[in-house]
Structures are given as structure tokens and as C-alpha cells.
Amino acid sequence: IDTHAALSCTPGLLKMPRRGALPLRTLVVLLQLALVPSQLAGCLLNPCLEVIANKTFRCTGLNISGVPAEVPNTTQNLDLSFSNLKSLGSNYFSPVPELQLLDLTRCHLHTIEDNSFKDLSKLSTLILTANSLQYLGTAAFYGLTSLKKLVLVETNLTSLTDLPIGHLHTLNELNLGHNNIASLKLPKYFSNLTSLRHLSFTSNKITYISKGDLDAFREVNRINLTLVLSLNNIKYIEPGSFAKIHLGELVLKSSFEDFNGMCTSLQGLTGLHVNRLIVGEFNDRQRLVDFQRGLLSGLCHVQMQEFVLISFREFEDNTDTLFNCIGNVSSIRLVDLRLEEVSEVPVLSQVKHLECKKCKFKEVPAVKLSLFKELRVLRITKSKHLNTFHQKFWGLSNLEVIDLSENRLSFTSCCSPQFRECPNLKHLNLSFNSDISMTGDFINVKNLLYLDLQHTKLFGPGSYPVFLSLQKLIYLDISYTRTHVKSQCTFCGLNSLKVLKMAGNSFENNKLANNFKNLSHLHTLDISNCKLVQVDQSTFDALSELKELNISNNKLLIFDPVVYKPLQALTALDFSNNQLSVLLDSALEILPDSLVLLDISQNLFECSCVNLNFLKWIKEKQELLQNKELMICHTPAYMKNVNLSSFYLSSCQLKASTVTSSVIMLLAAAVFLFLIYKYYFQLYYSLVLLSGCKHSAERGDTYDAFVIHSSKDQEWVMRELVEPLEGGKPPFQFCLYYRDFLPGVPIVTNIIQEGFLSSRNVIAVISTDFLESKWCSFEFDIAQSWQLVEGKAGIIMIVLEEVNKALLRQRLGLSRYLRRNTYLEWKNKEISRHIFWRQLTGVLLEGGKP
Ligand SMILES: *[C@@H]1O[C@H](CO)[C@@H](O)[C@H](O)[C@H]1NC(C)=O
Ligand SMILES: *[C@@H]1O[C@H](CO)[C@@H](O)[C@H](O)[C@H]1NC(C)=O
Ligand SMILES: *[C@@H]1O[C@H](CO)[C@@H](O)[C@H](O)[C@H]1NC(C)=O
Ligand SMILES: *[C@@H]1O[C@H](CO)[C@@H](O)[C@H](O)[C@H]1NC(C)=O
Ligand SMILES: *[C@@H]1O[C@H](CO)[C@@H](O)[C@H](O)[C@H]1NC(C)=O
Ligand SMILES: *[C@@H]1O[C@H](CO)[C@@H](O)[C@H](O)[C@H]1NC(C)=O
Ligand SMILES: *[C@@H]1O[C@H](CO)[C@@H](O)[C@H](O)[C@H]1NC(C)=O
Ligand SMILES: *[C@@H]1O[C@H](CO)[C@@H](O)[C@H](O)[C@H]1NC(C)=O
Ligand SMILES: *[C@@H]1O[C@H](CO)[C@@H](O)[C@H](O)[C@H]1NC(C)=O
Ligand SMILES: *[C@@H]1O[C@H](CO)[C@@H](O)[C@H](O)[C@H]1NC(C)=O
Ligand SMILES: *[C@@H]1O[C@H](CO)[C@@H](O)[C@H](O)[C@H]1NC(C)=O
């Protein structure tokens, strides 16, 4: 029930003048209002959100004691934050023994009694943030034998001494931030915490660090431990406090009260061995703004691999001491410093990696930086004032990587003059800058392997073969560089290239025309977003090693199998966001077996049964296809925005089957009709036979013979057959259709009833005309079957002399040899006639009395 809707209607209701209506509607509203508390109660009855079935429950903001009843004993993650728990007693969590993560943030906890977590032997993370703990039993954390992470942030801790965690051998991370801890004196039990990787005292009240405070760390090697002392108020570190301590990382951001405190405290780090030392300020919380002379002088006696200096703002002209004590550190990162220039570089510096991020250089300080003779990697990035590159790097024989990305550089004559005697330069990253014009001169950096120029406006590439001398280059990124490829030799010379990214550019006439001729080692090609409308036939011929092709976001209408056939090593093809309507069978056939990712989403698919094969294929290849939810139909209009994979294939099959079945039915009907047409007489005869069987006996034979003959032989029949025999002795009676058939009766009925059924014999007068007449053949056929069915005497075949013998044999077949049949040949000679008549009379007489 939507109470809000009901309530918002009430003002309108009150205006309704009609009696009866008002009380009724009000009643409904009141009823709904009355239901609200019970709905709320329903909410309260089920206050836990089941995030992952049986495993993760979120029950926040409850006023409860104990684990909520609806949390099952299979729960692994339980969030009870913002609940009103107040205190935890022993075995508090026994209903949920499988817990791995327990979040008790802001639960108004003041007391944790002994054995509260006793049953949580699998718990790995316990969060107690923002509970002002007043009482913590000495056995409070007993039973937590798997605990890895303990968060005691903002728990009003003042001292480490009584913290009962000494038995938590498995502890990895201990966060004690935002408390009132005043001393870093680590109690003895810290030597038990041998797995500790991260120990944070961020934002406490530590002011002095004295010798012996860190003794618990001295016994065990802590080279994997990060110690965070940020946001304290350190005034002084007694020299020797860190002596012989080995740490992974020490973080001192905004840790010191003032410049002098920092300066002397850093002296106190003497003897420390640390992998990475981070010193500086928080961006938003700067107490020390000025970098002054000698600030880092204490670091001369610290052994470190990497030094990070963060967020110092004012340098002015005091930078000449910056590298004094860090000149032999192998890696230096200067982050977010308003460093405008490098004034002094120590001789024989050992620095190998130097990074300056968000510095304030206006031009690349190549001359000064060239004094870091051991430099291998140099990065100057995200410096929004950096726009010129006039100075030259000189003699950095170890330099391999230069990353000048994400600045505002704008310069010409890239890229040889800027690097003198830097023979090992392999990576050059000039991406995300303003504009660079290239001459094609790479003499000094001809060993380059990686060149990244993406998102920097380029002058040169596309018009002439600028990359000609980069024979070793394996990676080239010129995406979104406003390159317009006019020259077919744009990529000439890049004979080792494996990766070519040039998304977001354009090609002459918006077509790919054999631009990748000699890139036979290419395995990744990105030509997405290049406004392409056409790909010429031989464009990909050389790319037999290509594994990934991204040709998405273009305007291609077809996927021409001939074009893509050479790409037999392809594993990933992104053809999304083009204008394909279908992949034809021939296209599906050339997709190589190696293909594991295919994206054809966001094309203009036609979902009609014409493309049934394609749509079937889509269903079968669900694993291969990416972004299936974006594969939707475009045409026909009634299918628009329907999922391609939910296209109802059976609708096509249904149509196909109805079509086939109706075709079959039509055919059958046609065949049936044809058969009826063809065998109408036979059928009819059969019918008559069946109905007439019993009559025939009663009927008595009216005629001696039924004469079948061609109408053209009528004269012969009258003259040679009827006249001599009907007028002879004994007189015979013949049935002749033109004489004896009953008028008004269907001819077939006549043939059968008057002809066959009323005659004892059948005489077939066989002439050429007879053989050619369908009608006569039919009558002859009927005569044969009649002979069989009725058991009548044979057929008397009279063959007129001029008949073609071969045709005769074919038509009459075997019947002329059957014993019961009589075969007479007529010869127009007086003597033969007499013999003929005698034979015929004999047969007729004989056939009459079977
Ligand atoms: C959650 O537990 C119930 C009862 O133990 C069980 O029926 C159900 O199948 C479980 N669900 C899952 C996803 O494990
Ligand atoms: C919490 O529940 C207790 C009783 O269990 C009650 O006395 C107290 O007023 C409730 N607090 C709130 C904020 O509802
Ligand atoms: C969880 O409770 C069910 C009964 O509700 C019990 O059979 C099962 O053994 C319990 N599992 C654990 C781990 O305690
Ligand atoms: C923190 O603990 C101190 C005593 O150690 C107490 O006086 C103070 O009230 C506690 N703070 C809170 C917010 O409970
Ligand atoms: C340190 O670990 C040992 C051995 O497990 C144990 O006997 C000792 O009580 C632990 N120390 C503390 C302070 O808990
Ligand atoms: C430091 O960590 C690495 C891997 O995390 C491990 O191999 C090494 O043993 C650890 N060293 C110490 C002293 O704990
Ligand atoms: C750096 O090392 C060189 C030679 O290894 C040495 O001469 C120089 O004194 C060292 N500088 C510092 C500041 O340690
Ligand atoms: C070049 O720098 C950009 C921006 O920092 C980065 O995204 C890209 O991966 C770098 N290129 C190479 C080849 O490392
Ligand atoms: C094509 O590449 C081969 C080596 O892969 C090289 O020998 C040949 O000179 C190149 N041809 C052109 C025109 O760059
Ligand atoms: C292909 O390029 C487009 C944009 O140019 C990008 O969004 C897409 O992730 C790329 N596809 C693959 C498979 O990397
Ligand atoms: C399309 O299918 C995807 C899953 O494959 C689904 O998330 C999406 O809601 C479907 N869209 C439509 C319009 O049916």
C-alpha cells in the first residue's frame, strides 16, 4: 500500500462535497495509516540485509544486545556498525562461529569483557573504529587465533601498555590511528607480533621518541613492516632511537611540529635501514610550507633505497641542498613540490630512478638532470607549467626510460636533437602534451622500443614517413594525435612493430588502403574511432601474426571475408559500434578458431528470418561474444531494441515449418488431383466393378464381344468384322460404342457397363491409330484388368498389318503371349481373310462357354 500517495490525496478529498464519499475515503486513509506502524514493525522484525545469501549480513543502526536472531550460523561477514551494543560479554558471538569479518564501528561500546570473541577462531578482520573503550578485559581478544587485521582507530586509547594483543601472533595489520597515544614505547609483546606488516600511529599525540622505544623491533627483522607516524606532533627524536632498526617503510607525513623539530628529528633517524622513507606533508594540511637549507641533512646517515618527498611548497633559492644527503639513494620521488629548478646535483650521484610529479618546472631541466650519470629512469609528469624542451640531455649512457607525459610540452624537431649520447634510450613517453612537430630524425634514439605520443597534437606523421629510421620500435601509440594519414608510407620502416595504436585519427578518403604493408610482426592494431567507411581488399594481407584488432567506432557497413581472411592468428576482434546488419555465412566461416573475444555490439543488426543462420550462430557463440547486452536489433522496426540473443528463433522455425508443411500439403493435393485426373477412369472402373460384381452374374451376357478400336478404324470394323460375323452363321452380336452405347449415360459407365460387363469377349482392333490413342490404351488397360478381376476369357487382339512392330511390342507387352489371349494378324488377302474369320469364330465360340 502506498501510504504517501494516499496521504497526498487527502486535501483533495476534504473538498469533496458529496456525503457518504468522504467518510468512506477517510476510512480507507485511516486504515492505511493504521497499517503503517505494523509495516514499521515488520521492518523491525527483519532489520538485517542479506547481502550475500547465508554469508554476508548488514545489520546497522540497531538497538540490540546480542547477535540478531536472523543471522544464521553460516555467516562469514557481519556488519553491526552504528548499533547500540554498549558492551560485549563473554561468548557474545557464539551464534556465528564462521565469522571472518566483524564490523563494530560506532557501536557505543565502552566495555569488552574477557572472551567476548572466544568463538571466532576464523575471524580475520575485527573493526572497532570509533568506540570509546573504557574497559578492555585482559582476555578480551582471546580465541582470535586467525586474526590478521585489527582496527582500533578512534577508541580513546592512551597507551599501548595495557592493550591485550600480545598473543595475536597472526596479526598482520594493526591500526591505532586517531587515539591519544603519547608514547611510541612499544611494550615487550610487540616482539610476539612477528607477522606484522603494517603498524599505524596516524594522528596520535606522540611528541618524543626515545632510545629504547622501538627495542621490541630490534630483535626481529622487520623489513616488511610499514610504520606510519604521520599527523603526530613530534618535537624530537633522540639519536639512536632507530639505530639498527630495519623497516620496510617509514611514513612521516605532517609528523613534525615545526621546521626545527623536523630538522633535528631527522637527525635522530641515524642508523635506520629502510626500504622506503616518505617525508612531507599532506596536501590539505600543511604545517611546514618552506623547504629550507639543510632540512634533509639528517638523512645522510639513513640507509634507504627509495626516498619520497611530498608536498613542500616554497623552495625559492634553497634547493641547492635538496640532494645533499639523498644523492646516493637509488630512487627519488618528488611529488607535488613547487620546485622550479634543479640548482645543485651532487657529483657521482647514484640515483637511478628520478621522478618529479606535479613540479613547477617551466622547461625540461635537461642540463642539470644530465648530471645524474647513473640515471636509468626519469619521469617528469603532471607539471602543468612545463611547456618548453630546449635543453638537451647529454651523455646519460644508462638512461632507458624517459616519461614526460601529462605536461604541457610544445616543441619542434622531435626527437633526435633532444638526446645526445643517450644510446640506451628505449622508452620515450611524450603523451598527453600540447603539440610536437616531428622531423623524422631519430638518429640519436634509433634504439627506441617504445614510443608513446598519444593525445598530443602531432605535426609530421601521416604526411611523410617520419618513423622510417625506427627499425627496432615495437610499440607505437599515436592515438588521438590528429594525424591524418595521407601517405601510404606513413608506417614504413617500422619493421619490428608489434603494437600500433592509432585510435581517433583519420585516413585519406576515410578508407584503409594498404597502409600496413610491411608490418608483418604486428600483433595489436587499434584503428578504432578513425571515421573509416571502407577497408580495401589487401589491407590486412601482411598481418598474419595479428592477435588483436580494434576497428570499433567506425562506419563500416560490411565485414568482408576477403579482407579479414589473412588474419588467421586473431584472438580478439572488436568490431563494435559500426553499421553491420549481419555477418554472412562466408564471414562466419573465415573467423579463425583462435578467436576468443568478439565484440560486434552496437551495430545495426537486422533481425529477420533471412538472417536465421547468423542469429542461430549468435545463440551458439555466447561465450565468444562480448557486450551481449548491447547487441540489439535495429531493423525491422517492430524488432527495434530487442536483444539479439533473445531473438525468438523458433518464430522463424515455426514460419519455416508452416511454409514447408503447407507446401507439402499443396503438393500432396496437387499430386492427388493429378492422380485422380490421370486414373479417373481406373478409379471409376474399380468403383463400378466393386458395386457391379454382384450384378454381373445376373446380368447375362448380351454381347459376344466388345470391340475396342480406334474411331479411324471404324470402317474396317464394320466391313471386315461386324458385317461378316453378325450376318454369318452362327450370328454373333458385337458391342460397338457408336451403336450400342446408351445415350445420356457417361461414356465410362457405358464402356464398363455396356461394354465389358455385358460382353463375353473383348476384341481389340490394333492399328497404328489404336496404339497412338490414349483412349484406346485406356480401354485396353481396363480390358486387361477386367480380364483378371472377372476371370473372363482372353482378349482377342487383331493386329492390322501396317502396324509398327516395335511400338506394338512395347504397348501390348507380354499380354500377347498369355495363353488365354488370342493374337490374330489381319492380312488383306481373300484366303487369309477366310482363315482369319474361322479362327476368330472359333475363339468367340470357345470364349462364350468357359
Ligand atoms: C542458505 O541456508 C539455507 C538453510 O540452511 C539453505 O536452505 C539455502 O540453500 C542456503 N542458501 C545458499 C545460497 O547457500
Ligand atoms: C534501546 O533499547 C533499550 C531497551 O532494550 C531502551 O531502554 C532504549 O531506550 C532504546 N534506545 C533507543 C535509542 O531506542
Ligand atoms: C548451524 O546450525 C544448524 C542447525 O540450525 C546445525 O545443524 C549446524 O551444525 C550449525 N553449524 C555450525 C557450524 O554450528
Ligand atoms: C577517553 O578516556 C578518558 C580517560 O582515559 C576519559 O576521561 C574520556 O572521557 C574518554 N573520552 C571519551 C570520548 O569517552
Ligand atoms: C608472547 O608469546 C608467547 C608464546 O606464545 C606467550 O607465552 C606470551 O605470553 C606472549 N606475550 C604476551 C605479552 O602475550
Ligand atoms: C617479507 O615478505 C616477503 C614476501 O611478502 C617474504 O618472502 C619474506 O620472507 C618476508 N621477510 C620477512 C623478514 O618477513
Ligand atoms: C655517494 O657515493 C659516492 C661514491 O659511491 C661517494 O663518493 C659519496 O660520498 C656518496 N655521497 C653521499 C652523500 O653519501
Ligand atoms: C605514457 O604515459 C601515459 C600517462 O602517464 C600512460 O598512460 C602510458 O601508459 C605511458 N605509456 C607507456 C608506453 O608506458
Ligand atoms: C619489409 O620488412 C623486411 C623485414 O621484415 C625488410 O627487410 C624490408 O626491407 C622491408 N621493406 C620495406 C619497404 O620497408
Ligand atoms: C576498442 O577501442 C574502443 C575505443 O576506441 C575502446 O573503448 C574499446 O575498449 C577497445 N576494445 C578493446 C577490446 O580493447
Ligand atoms: C538484454 O540482455 C541482457 C543480458 O544478456 C540484459 O541484462 C538486458 O536487460 C537485456 N535487454 C533487453 C532490452 O532485453
Side-chain angles (χ1 to χ4, degrees):
I1 300 163
D2 188 351
T3 321
H4 291 285
L7 285 174
S8 68
C9 285
T10 39
L13 293 181
L14 294 174
K15 278 188 231 130
M16 285 176 76
R18 250 188 286 159
R19 279 201 289 152
L22 177 62
L24 189 67
R25 298 290 293 267
T26 319
L27 204 68
V28 171
V29 172
L30 286 177
L31 205 70
Q32 287 172 346
L33 284 175
L35 284 173
V36 169
S38 69
Q39 282 171 351
L40 274 179
C43 279
L44 286 175
L45 283 177
N46 194 5
C48 287
L49 181 66
E50 191 168 9
V51 181
I52 299 173
N54 298 352
K55 294 265 156 64
T56 300
F57 285 83
R58 185 181 301 151
C59 318
T60 64
L62 308 183
N63 184 15
I64 47 164
S65 60
V67 175
E70 64 271 33
V71 175
N73 63 3
T74 51
T75 307
Q76 293 175 356
N77 290 1
L78 180 57
D79 180 357
L80 289 173
S81 58
F82 296 92
S83 296
N84 197 8
L85 299 182
K86 294 200 175 70
S87 69
L88 303 179
S90 61
N91 303 88
Y92 196 90
F93 295 98
S94 57
V96 279
E98 300 291 314
L99 273 197
Q100 292 173 12
L101 183 146
L102 177 59
D103 188 347
L104 297 172
T105 298
R106 279 189 207 283
C107 281
H108 301 102
L109 284 176
H110 48 72
T111 302
I112 300 180
E113 286 171 12
D114 287 353
N115 299 318
S116 292
F117 306 103
K118 180 83 177 156
D119 308 278
L120 304 183
S121 61
K122 294 178 179 169
L123 195 72
S124 83
T125 302
L126 176 58
I127 303 172
L128 288 166
T129 300
N131 289 290
S132 185
L133 298 176
Q134 280 154 24
Y135 176 75
L136 207 49
T138 50
F141 298 120
Y142 272 27
L144 295 173
T145 51
S146 306
L147 197 67
K148 290 210 156 63
K149 178 170 174 176
L150 177 59
V151 182
L152 289 167
V153 168
E154 217 183 305
T155 47
N156 202 13
L157 289 178
T158 52
S159 152
L160 296 172
T161 322
D162 301 327
L163 201 58
I165 57 171
H167 58 290
L168 299 175
H169 301 275
T170 52
L171 207 60
N172 237 283
E173 181 176 341
L174 177 60
N175 195 334
L176 299 164
H178 299 269
N179 282 301
N180 297 318
I181 299 168
S183 166
L184 193 58
K185 171 79 190 155
L186 299 179
K188 272 253 173 279
Y189 63 77
F190 266 89
S191 53
N192 270 9
L193 308 181
T194 48
S195 308
L196 213 55
R197 295 275 187 279
H198 192 96
L199 175 60
S200 173
F201 288 93
T202 300
S203 196
N204 272 282
K205 302 257 171 356
I206 298 169
T207 47
Y208 293 96
I209 299 175
S210 314
K211 243 178 170 169
D213 279 1
L214 298 169
D215 277 356
F217 280 172
R218 227 178 285 271
E219 290 149 32
V220 192
N221 191 346
R222 300 290 176 165
I223 59 162
N224 286 338
L225 178 71
T226 295
L227 176 61
V228 184
L229 296 174
S230 302
L231 293 168
N232 278 284
N233 257 334
I234 301 175
K235 292 182 170 66
Y236 184 64
I237 298 177
E238 190 181 351
S241 304
F242 284 87
K244 294 191 185 148
I245 303 277
H246 290 246
L247 291 178
E249 188 170 308
L250 177 60
V251 185
L252 297 167
K253 289 174 76 178
S254 298
S255 300
F256 304 101
E257 198 179 46
D258 54 24
F259 177 81
N260 285 332
M262 178 167 178
C263 212
T264 49
S265 294
L266 291 184
Q267 306 274 0
L269 295 180
T270 301
L272 171 67
H273 291 242
V274 65
N275 191 33
R276 180 191 292 136
L277 176 63
I278 301 175
V279 173
E281 293 292 305
F282 282 100
N283 200 0
D284 56 345
R285 187 163 173 173
Q286 289 170 339
R287 285 184 280 188
L288 306 175
V289 277
D290 288 3
F291 182 92
Q292 292 173 29
R293 185 175 290 271
L295 180 64
L296 303 179
S297 60
L299 299 182
C300 276
H301 305 289
V302 176
Q303 292 252 331
M304 53 187 164
Q305 303 296 308
E306 184 177 343
F307 177 69
V308 184
L309 184 61
I310 295 181
S311 289
F312 270 94
R313 288 302 158 92
E314 306 300 328
F315 275 88
E316 285 154 22
D317 45 24
N318 293 315
T319 62
D320 49 347
T321 63
L322 176 59
F323 296 108
N324 272 7
C325 282
I326 56 174
N328 282 350
V329 175
S330 85
S331 180
I332 296 179
R333 294 184 67 214
L334 306 172
V335 181
D336 198 13
L337 303 186
R338 298 249 174 99
L339 191 60
E340 287 179 46
E341 58 176 321
V342 180
S343 48
E344 195 80 24
V345 175
V347 282
L348 303 175
S349 144
Q350 301 295 308
V351 177
K352 293 184 178 64
H353 292 242
L354 180 60
E355 176 172 349
C356 208
K357 188 169 153 188
K358 297 193 196 168
C359 287
K360 222 180 160 187
F361 302 134
K362 290 197 178 66
E363 77 167 301
V364 182
V367 173
K368 276 278 155 60
L369 295 180
S370 296
L371 297 171
F372 289 99
K373 287 295 171 205
E374 298 296 320
L375 216 52
R376 286 184 164 75
V377 179
L378 172 66
R379 297 182 198 275
I380 304 176
T381 58
K382 297 194 174 176
S383 301
K384 58 176 188 268
H385 299 278
L386 186 62
N387 50 38
T388 54
F389 194 176
H390 294 314
Q391 301 180 15
K392 299 165 176 39
F393 287 99
W394 198 295
L396 291 174
S397 56
N398 295 315
L399 192 64
E400 289 178 12
V401 179
I402 286 206
D403 181 357
L404 296 173
S405 63
E406 299 185 76
N407 299 305
R408 305 267 166 89
L409 286 174
S410 165
F411 65 101
T412 56
S413 310
C414 188
C415 301
S416 188
Q418 290 80 7
F419 305 97
R420 298 278 171 84
E421 294 170 35
C422 300
N424 277 315
L425 195 61
K426 294 193 172 71
H427 294 242
L428 179 56
N429 195 341
L430 290 165
S431 62
F432 298 94
N433 276 291
S434 296
D435 53 89
I436 295 175
S437 110
M438 315 190 71
T439 55
D441 179 4
F442 286 94
I443 303 271
N444 292 341
V445 290
K446 58 180 184 300
N447 292 326
L448 270 187
L449 300 179
Y450 296 83
L451 179 57
D452 192 343
L453 296 160
Q454 60 174 304
H455 295 269
T456 299
K457 190 177 177 189
L458 295 182
F459 300 97
S463 311
Y464 50 97
V466 288
F467 305 113
L468 206 53
S469 52
L470 291 175
Q471 306 269 332
K472 295 185 180 169
L473 202 71
I474 57 177
Y475 182 103
L476 176 63
D477 192 343
I478 53 167
S479 311
Y480 302 94
T481 51
R482 304 202 210 161
T483 297
H484 182 66
V485 178
K486 285 200 285 268
S487 159
Q488 292 237 340
C489 209
T490 295
F491 304 107
C492 286
L494 295 167
N495 298 332
S496 311
L497 203 64
K498 291 193 170 153
V499 179
L500 174 57
K501 299 191 176 186
M502 59 162 307
N505 293 303
S506 57
F507 289 82
E508 186 84 330
N509 298 327
N510 294 330
K511 82 177 183 183
L512 280 184
N514 217 0
N515 298 95
F516 310 119
K517 280 192 287 266
N518 212 13
L519 305 183
S520 53
H521 299 301
L522 212 58
H523 64 63
T524 301
L525 176 61
D526 185 351
I527 38 175
S528 58
N529 247 318
C530 286
K531 309 186 189 81
L532 293 170
V533 296
Q534 194 193 328
V535 182
D536 274 2
Q537 278 210 352
S538 55
T539 303
F540 297 137
D541 281 2
L543 308 187
S544 59
E545 290 177 20
L546 198 70
K547 291 196 162 67
E548 292 174 28
L549 174 61
N550 191 343
I551 195 166
S552 67
N553 297 284
N554 283 299
K555 293 175 182 160
L556 300 170
L557 290 167
I558 50 166
F559 182 91
D560 182 352
V562 180
V563 174
Y564 300 89
K565 182 109 200 261
L567 305 177
Q568 284 305 306
L570 217 54
T571 59
L573 172 60
D574 190 343
F575 209 96
S576 60
N577 225 323
N578 276 290
Q579 300 179 2
L580 277 185
S581 62
V582 66
L583 284 178
L584 296 174
D585 290 354
S586 52
L588 300 179
E589 270 163 28
I590 63 107
L591 291 178
D593 296 336
S594 50
L595 203 63
V596 288
L597 296 180
L598 175 63
D599 193 341
I600 49 170
S601 61
Q602 301 187 71
N603 275 286
L604 307 178
F605 292 114
E606 183 190 335
C607 293
S608 67
C609 295
V610 181
N611 298 334
L612 190 60
N613 270 352
F614 170 62
L615 295 163
K616 261 189 199 157
W617 184 85
I618 293 284
K619 292 234 153 150
E620 285 161 13
K621 297 288 174 170
Q622 291 288 303
E623 271 185 21
L624 176 67
L625 295 165
Q626 307 297 302
N627 291 320
K628 288 181 279 268
E629 67 282 358
L630 297 176
M631 292 192 338
I632 51 177
C633 303
H634 181 73
T635 50
Y638 65 88
M639 289 296 289
K640 200 162 177 136
N641 296 333
V642 172
N643 261 349
L644 211 57
S645 47
S646 57
F647 181 77
Y648 193 45
L649 283 181
S650 50
S651 67
C652 285
Q653 279 148 1
L654 190 68
K655 276 176 206 156
S657 64
T658 41
V659 167
T660 30
S661 61
S662 41
V663 164
I664 287 173
M665 271 164 65
L666 276 175
L667 273 175
V671 166
F672 185 66
L673 287 175
F674 175 76
L675 286 175
I676 287 188
Y677 168 76
K678 177 120 196 257
Y679 294 105
Y680 170 70
F681 303 116
Q682 280 88 334
L683 284 169
Y684 189 88
Y685 172 60
S686 312
L687 269 178
V688 174
L689 273 188
L690 285 176
S691 61
C693 265
K694 55 181 189 285
H695 305 299
S696 64
E698 304 153 14
R699 210 176 160 91
D701 298 323
T702 322
Y703 306 106
D704 292 301
F706 172 46
V707 185
I708 315 172
H709 62 90
S710 160
S711 56
K712 300 210 174 114
D713 299 322
Q714 189 171 330
E715 202 190 320
W716 183 91
V717 170
M718 281 313 290
R719 197 179 57 218
E720 305 292 350
L721 211 58
V722 178
E723 277 173 17
L725 292 182
E726 285 199 341
K729 247 187 182 272
F732 291 96
Q733 190 64 33
F734 291 123
C735 174
L736 299 170
Y737 71 90
Y738 55 87
R739 188 183 66 190
D740 301 312
F741 277 9
L742 303 172
V745 177
I747 184 82
V748 179
T749 313
N750 262 326
I751 291 176
I752 291 164
Q753 297 208 335
E754 293 303 313
F756 293 122
L757 292 183
S758 308
S759 307
R760 274 182 282 123
N761 290 294
V762 172
I763 298 176
V765 180
I766 296 166
S767 64
T768 308
D769 292 326
F770 181 96
L771 291 178
E772 279 167 4
S773 155
K774 286 240 161 72
W775 190 253
C776 294
S777 305
F778 165 62
E779 285 185 332
F780 187 73
D781 284 346
I782 291 183
Q784 284 179 305
S785 35
W786 161 77
Q787 180 192 14
L788 282 174
V789 174
E790 298 277 284
K792 293 262 178 158
I795 303 167
I796 303 163
M797 287 167 273
I798 301 173
V799 182
L800 303 188
E801 52 193 333
E802 74 278 19
V803 172
N804 175 342
K805 298 287 173 191
L807 193 62
L808 180 73
R809 248 175 271 130
Q810 186 199 336
R811 283 288 155 81
L812 301 189
L814 278 176
S815 50
R816 62 194 265 226
Y817 302 112
L818 288 176
R819 201 164 43 82
R820 283 204 286 180
N821 294 349
T822 311
Y823 184 82
L824 300 174
E825 289 194 5
W826 164 260
K827 291 206 175 61
N828 200 6
K829 283 189 197 135
E830 199 58 27
I831 182 153
S832 316
R833 277 192 222 175
H834 284 285
I835 297 170
F836 168 78
W837 283 322
R838 201 161 341 107
Q839 280 177 328
L840 183 57
T841 320
V843 179
L844 285 175
L845 285 175
E846 188 187 318
K849 299 142 206 119

